[in-house]
Amino acid sequence: MNIQENFSLKKLNTFAIDVKARFFIEITGLLQLQKVLQLSAYPKRFIISGGSNMLLINDIDALVMHINLKGISIAEEDENQVVLKIMAGENWHDLVLWALKQGWGGLENLSLIPGNTGTAPIQNIGAYGVELKDVFVSCEAMHIETLELVEFSKADCQFGYRDSIFKNEAKGKYIITSVKLRLTKKNHRLLTHYGTIETWLKDNDIVHPTINNISEAVIAIRRSKLPDPKELGNCGSFFKNPVVSKNKFETFHKKHPNAPYYEMEDDTFKIPAGWLIEQCGFKGKRFGDAGVHEKQALVLVNYGNAKGSEILELAEKIQSEVKAKYKIKIEPEVNIIK
Ligand code: EPU
């Protein structure tokens, strides 16, 4: 078993924070995963996959297991649809591009999201009007104690906005090993209603868009305002957009009639945290190597050698200023590992 010591995790987290794993192992097979979970010499474990939704604050005094299970297969298929089984370590955006190459639809709005497929259900990744739950069939996860492979149906996952059972009751108990997604082979459901997609299609004279056109639009839009983690360390949106009650929203809206908002199905309102943060003057601000992205205030960035604690300090400063100015609590979307 190839267990390494004092292994730098800088390349394995998209914030590019340089912390060390006391012990480290790459997981490439299910049997190996079971064996490693049985090793009594390493009772403390920490799971890392795409590393695109975590802020590491300290060195990790545990066995860090990098989930790198690979493979894509067809689980079911008819003339209209295909169900794919994707192993957890497959890169998400590579999967999206591969599906598009086959002519299969459903993932195009989720183009260019960093991270791996196995972690997509944890926070129910979403962008441009689509969430993972819209194509999700089920996932398999290994119970860390019993080593059993358990299947979670879509209902079992209890998906919500950037939320699932894996952030709640099941947190820390399972390792997701594979995910099943249902894609369309024809009669694709094109979702272009998200404002910026429509504008991009119009600007590019595309009247009858294909799934490829939508992916191109999303890629162009994301590139124009979200930093590429290969160039500038970041984890996408650092905060979730706050969801407030109708009462609270009405008070807010009276005071700030120009603020953007989305009305939700259950009579609540989502207010873009990026707007709140920008109004507090943080957009484009830099404090040492920790900063707020100049094109999207929801994204915190590492200009090179920021420590996790410096990014966290900035996040807390933002939270308290937003709270003081708007009486609204914004919560991190990113997992903070202390
Ligand atoms: N806005 C500002 N200033 C900013 C950023 C945004 O005023 O600095 C305003 C925009 O003008 C717009 C509104 O806020 O009116 C919403 O902005 P945008 O469409 O960019 O989306 P978002 O709410 O900031 C969410 C997701 C993104 C996803 C986009 C598109 C969350 C936490 N974030 O961002 O997801 O790509 O919608 O669907 O829900 C991610 O999770 O990492 C992520 C990038």
Side-chain angles (χ1 to χ4, degrees):
M1 222 154 293
N2 185 15
I3 295 180
Q4 289 168 268
E5 287 192 44
N6 299 319
F7 185 92
S8 168
L9 297 174
K10 190 172 168 90
K11 291 203 175 113
L12 291 182
N13 72 101
T14 62
F15 248 130
I17 306 289
D18 195 6
V19 297
K20 286 196 172 59
R22 178 73 186 91
F23 302 104
F24 176 85
I25 189 162
E26 193 84 34
I27 302 292
T28 54
L30 288 175
L31 283 178
Q32 180 210 12
L33 176 58
Q34 278 176 330
K35 275 195 194 143
V36 172
L37 288 172
Q38 282 169 303
L39 294 174
S40 54
Y42 305 95
K44 284 194 283 178
R45 308 167 195 117
F46 180 81
I47 313 300
I48 194 164
S49 179
S52 61
N53 205 39
M54 55 171 64
L55 177 62
L56 300 169
I57 308 291
N58 300 307
D59 287 343
I60 299 183
D61 184 20
L63 173 62
V64 173
M65 301 166 63
H66 181 223
I67 306 300
N68 206 6
L69 302 163
K70 298 283 189 191
I72 304 178
S73 55
I74 293 179
E76 282 170 46
E77 182 173 25
D78 65 23
E79 67 204 59
N80 298 311
Q81 299 187 335
V82 58
V83 174
L84 295 177
K85 178 175 177 178
I86 306 121
M87 297 306 288
E90 289 288 343
N91 174 272
W92 177 262
H93 183 58
D94 289 348
L95 167 72
V96 174
L97 295 181
W98 179 82
L100 285 167
K101 228 182 195 170
Q102 319 301 312
W104 298 339
L107 304 182
E108 52 284 353
N109 294 57
L110 302 175
S111 296
L112 213 60
I113 296 183
N116 287 347
T117 307
T119 38
I122 299 178
Q123 62 152 337
N124 182 24
I125 58 168
Y128 303 100
V130 174
E131 287 184 334
L132 179 80
K133 71 171 171 52
D134 302 329
V135 290
F136 185 89
V137 177
S138 62
C139 66
E140 246 174 20
M142 192 177 288
H143 192 282
I144 286 176
E145 299 296 332
T146 66
L147 308 182
E148 260 175 315
L149 271 183
V150 181
E151 177 160 306
F152 287 78
S153 70
K154 184 162 154 178
D156 293 337
C157 289
Q158 301 172 17
F159 289 124
Y161 165 59
R162 298 290 192 273
D163 200 26
S164 78
I165 192 169
F166 300 106
K167 278 185 145 185
N168 298 290
E169 296 104 279
K171 190 174 175 173
K173 297 190 179 137
Y174 293 92
I175 296 171
I176 297 174
T177 52
S178 68
V179 175
K180 279 187 185 161
L181 305 178
R182 186 185 307 280
L183 306 185
T184 47
K185 286 172 141 184
K186 51 185 178 190
N187 304 324
H188 305 301
R189 200 169 142 246
L190 302 179
L191 280 153
T192 56
H193 64 276
Y194 206 94
T196 34
I197 294 190
E198 249 162 29
T199 315
W200 189 91
L201 293 170
K202 239 183 233 151
D203 290 351
N204 287 276
D205 298 323
I206 297 167
V207 185
H208 301 292
T210 63
I211 48 178
N212 282 294
N213 293 144
I214 292 178
S215 173
E216 280 171 59
V218 169
I219 289 174
I221 297 161
R222 289 187 75 102
R223 287 218 169 109
S224 73
K225 57 181 174 188
L226 294 170
D228 180 348
K230 285 190 195 115
E231 287 157 22
L232 191 60
N234 77 91
C235 270
S237 304
F238 191 90
F239 299 101
K240 288 192 271 196
N241 287 327
V243 178
V244 299
S245 67
K246 190 169 183 173
N247 241 340
K248 194 159 182 176
F249 173 74
E250 277 167 359
T251 316
F252 170 83
H253 187 56
K254 251 186 222 144
K255 271 198 198 158
H256 311 285
N258 298 325
Y261 64 88
Y262 315 102
E263 190 169 354
M264 311 291 282
E265 284 150 16
D266 57 354
D267 233 17
T268 57
F269 291 78
K270 204 187 254 180
I271 302 169
W275 185 87
L276 299 169
I277 298 167
E278 180 171 351
Q279 298 303 308
C280 289
F282 281 106
K283 196 170 183 170
K285 283 271 163 69
R286 181 172 172 169
F287 304 83
D289 266 0
V292 178
H293 190 50
E294 55 187 9
K295 293 185 192 143
Q296 165 55 293
L298 201 48
V299 177
L300 302 190
V301 294
N302 172 8
Y303 281 100
N305 293 311
K307 291 203 178 90
S309 57
E310 291 170 299
I311 306 267
L312 182 60
E313 212 175 287
L314 172 57
E316 286 170 351
K317 193 175 158 78
I318 291 171
Q319 277 175 307
S320 72
E321 291 202 18
V322 167
K323 178 90 185 156
K325 189 162 176 185
Y326 294 102
K327 313 271 172 295
I328 291 178
K329 191 170 177 206
I330 56 170
E331 310 247 28
E333 180 200 278
V334 167
N335 292 310
I336 294 161
I337 315 295
K338 286 191 177 162

